[in-house]
Amino acid sequence: MAQHTMWKHFQNGQHYMTTWPMRKELAAVFPEHRYIKATQFATKVMPAVAAISILTQMAFHNYDAMPQAIAIALLAISMPLQGLWWLGKRSQTTLPPSLAKWYSEIYQKIVSEGHAMQPKKSQPRYQELAEVLNRAFKQLDRHALDRWF
């Protein structure tokens, strides 16, 4: 059961990372932009750091330093996982009342402009906020968004 929950957090984090709109208007208000950028960077770079930390010790036959190299490799490999974990937990967190109100307003604006949406959630989470914001930036014109940004 614990493995299933852990795996689900990583999957939710991956989905949230692809759903959250990477917009400068949101970057000043929400930490998601920084977490997503850091997680994407860590996913690309840290596996190489892990491999290099071990391979350099092997290349120079410095086996006495191998425990430290393995520790560095494990830390490097864990970094993208930490980002996905945080994003996964965040995506399932219920919005505070002020953001839930904002979610409802944006949702109503999208629907009032004739765009189809999934049913509105009574207890929206950050994942639903990401979906609504994503749709708003794609489907509403700039003037419709001025009220919120």
Side-chain angles (χ1 to χ4, degrees), residues 95 97-113 117 120-121 124 129 132-133 136 140 144-149:
L95 294 175
S98 60
L99 285 180
K101 183 176 185 281
W102 194 49
Y103 158 85
S104 292
E105 290 173 4
I106 296 171
Y107 181 94
Q108 286 307 122
K109 181 64 177 173
I110 293 169
V111 171
S112 72
E113 298 233 345
M117 290 286 292
K120 187 169 96 172
K121 304 287 185 187
L129 178 63
V132 164
L133 287 170
L140 299 180
L145 295 171
D146 284 343
R147 175 178 176 201
W148 295 291
F149 301 106

Side-chain angles (χ1 to χ4, degrees), residues 14-30:
Q14 185 68 40
H15 180 64
Y16 189 56
M17 191 165 64
T18 59
T19 307
W20 186 263
M22 296 296 283
R23 303 285 301 230
K24 65 179 185 227
E25 300 95 324
L26 300 174
V29 181
F30 295 98

Side-chain angles (χ1 to χ4, degrees), residues 6 10 13 29 42-43 49-50 53 58 63 68 75 80-81 92 94-95 97 105 110 129 139 143:
M6 183 183 296
F10 293 134
V29 181
T43 300
V49 169
S53 72
M58 292 172 69
Y63 297 107
Q68 293 91 334
L75 175 67
L81 297 176
Q92 301 306 302
T94 304
L95 294 175
E105 290 173 4
I110 293 169
L129 178 63
Q139 295 182 331
H143 297 296

Side-chain angles (χ1 to χ4, degrees), residues 1 10 12 34 39 48 52 63 68 75 77-78 80 86 100 104 108 125 127 131 143 148:
M1 177 69 178
F10 293 134
N12 289 340
R34 293 183 300 279
T39 302
I52 289 168
Y63 297 107
Q68 293 91 334
L75 175 67
I77 292 296
S78 76
W86 186 90
S104 292
Q108 286 307 122
R125 301 165 300 160
Q127 180 63 47
E131 291 165 3
H143 297 296
W148 295 291

Side-chain angles (χ1 to χ4, degrees), residues 75-89:
L75 175 67
I77 292 296
S78 76
M79 291 176 127
L81 297 176
Q82 291 173 44
L84 288 174
W85 178 266
W86 186 90
L87 290 165
K89 291 284 281 184

